[in-house]
């Protein structure tokens, strides 16, 4: 495919995408194919000779489309949404155009610096404390900052590794050496409620610590008292509490944990407090919902998925840390092929040290497109419209009389 054919096919593909969105509400949202359907429809080996774009396009329509769940349909209510928008798609197109592997600042300075700026934009938009900003109000570099992860599951792993680094530093301050600490790493304990996303428990399996699952209360919340009781017992049993995840909008019921009370316990027990707001965090763009999140200003890290409720196509999981020191120390590995900036390094972030993968896409572009083309007012209007619709539905269910609202 040369550039002229690319222009032709690209325009055709834009038309195909636009027609899909114009008609998606008329399609059954759920696929009805049986497992293994595609294996019988496509060749079992890659083609030896090039195929035409027309044939590939036809196969998308006749073979791929029947096996698709239409997450963007207004009739889709299967899980939390995977939101998207045309501005985000355009941003993704530009990212694909550059096709960079942006593991550090030198790779593409604009990719690193746009992510730093856009994450500060987004942090301010949802009312995060200034501790989480990369750039202070006076224009100097801060200790915190934001980074785009692929998913909230990745964010869980990353911040748990940082929390372990913080716990190890604390043990060293008590006089323990590295060998002694290695012998007791398995006694580190992370705390979750029975409503916390499964990503938390998976993260403990990956980094090799224990997971303590605490029963939630009648409102499906993790409470201060329950957390403190679990920690007290574990300390009596010779274990080392180091991390707690509080949730702003649980997956099952959208419940909000006792964030402020949990922060009290985290402070007194020297735990890293991570707040998982994967779904509901987007609501914080509206100031009227921020009182529900009292306590997030005391967290060590905060995460929400812009690809769930903020008009940004998957993947775009926004993670902030109040102090990046433990995160960078834990994940930084130097090699000859990973050159560092010489001289002044203000505002130079090597985001490979803020995440698990080395390579990373230019994901901030699509978020930048969304925030500029909708504006803060448009994003707030989008969220408020959905909240209004949810309240309408609740009123209809209660008026009907056959339904019960199971969670506040």
């Amino acid at each position: 495919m040369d550039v002229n054919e690319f222009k032709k096919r690209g325009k055709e593909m834009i038309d195909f995408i636009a027609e899909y969105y114009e008609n998606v509400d008329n399609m059954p949202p759920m696929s009805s194919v049986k497992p293994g359907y595609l294996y019988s429809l496509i060749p079992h080996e890659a083609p030896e000779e090039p195929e035409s774009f027309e044939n590939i396009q036809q196969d998308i329509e006749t073979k791929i489309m029947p096996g698709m769940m239409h997450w963007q349909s207004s009739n889709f209510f299967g899980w939390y949404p995977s939101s998207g928008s045309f501005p985000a798609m355009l941003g993704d197109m530009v990212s694909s155009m550059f096709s960079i592997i942006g593991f550090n600042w030198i790779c593409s300075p604009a990719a690193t610096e746009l992510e730093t700026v856009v994450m500060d934009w987004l942090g301010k938009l949802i009312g995060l404390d200034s501790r989480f900003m990369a750039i202070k109000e006076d224009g100097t570099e801060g200790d915190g900052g934001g980074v785009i992860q692929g998913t909230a599951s990745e964010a869980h792993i990353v911040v748990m590794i940082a929390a372990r680094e913080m716990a190890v530093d604390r043990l060293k301050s008590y006089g323990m050496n590295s060998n002694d600490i290695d012998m007791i790493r398995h006694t580190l304990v992370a705390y979750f409620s029975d409503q916390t996303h499964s990503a938390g428990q998976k993260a403990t399996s990956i980094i090799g610590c224990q997971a303590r699952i605490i029963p939630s209360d009648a409102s499906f919340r993790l409470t201060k008292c329950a957390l403190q009781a679990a920690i007290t017992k574990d300390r009596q049993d010779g274990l080392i509490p180091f991390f707690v995840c509080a949730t702003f909008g649980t997956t099952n019921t959208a419940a909000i944990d006792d964030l402020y009370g949990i922060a009290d316990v985290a402070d007194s027990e020297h735990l890293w407090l991570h707040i998982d707001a994967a779904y509901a965090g987007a609501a914080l763009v509206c100031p009227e919902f921020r009182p529900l999140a009292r306590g997030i200003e005391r967290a060590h890290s905060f995460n929400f998925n812009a690809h769930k409720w903020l008009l940004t196509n998957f993947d775009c999981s926004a993670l902030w840390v109040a102090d990046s020191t433990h995160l960078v120390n834990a994940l930084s590995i130097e090699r000859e092929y990973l050159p560092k900036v010489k001289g002044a390094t203000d505002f130079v972030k090597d985001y490979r040290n803020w995440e698990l993968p080395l390579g990373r896409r230019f994901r901030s572009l699509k978020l930048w497109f969304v925030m500029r083309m909708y504006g803060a007012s448009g994003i707030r209007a989008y969220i408020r419209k959905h909240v209004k619709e949810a309240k309408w539905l609740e009123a209809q269910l209660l008026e009907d009389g056959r339904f019960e609202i199971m969670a506040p």
Side-chain angles (χ1 to χ4, degrees), residues 234-295:
D234 282 343
R235 288 201 187 280
Q236 291 171 349
D237 292 341
L239 301 177
I240 305 173
F242 82 108
F243 176 93
V244 59
C245 176
T247 305
F248 180 75
T250 60
T251 301
N252 282 338
T253 64
I256 300 171
D257 288 339
D258 177 13
L259 305 181
Y260 206 85
I262 293 170
D264 285 341
V265 177
D267 283 348
S268 63
E269 297 287 351
H270 307 292
L271 272 60
W272 181 291
L273 171 57
H274 175 61
I275 295 183
D276 174 15
Y279 158 64
L284 299 177
V285 301
C286 302
E288 63 267 29
F289 301 130
R290 292 176 192 167
L292 297 172
R294 179 175 174 264

Side-chain angles (χ1 to χ4, degrees), residues 6 20 25 96-97 99 103 138 143 169 174 184 187 212 281 308 321 329 335 350 366 392-393:
F6 175 73
Y20 170 79
D25 288 350
S96 294
M97 175 188 76
S99 191
F103 49 81
D138 62 6
D143 295 325
D169 283 352
Y174 296 154
I184 62 171
T187 65
R212 183 72 62 241
K308 275 197 170 71
V321 290
N329 287 347
R335 291 290 187 271
D350 287 348
K366 57 187 170 186
W392 175 87
L393 177 60

Side-chain angles (χ1 to χ4, degrees), residues 79-93:
W79 293 279
Y80 281 135
S82 173
S83 73
S85 66
F86 296 130
M89 291 184 203
L90 295 175
D92 249 350
M93 288 174 63

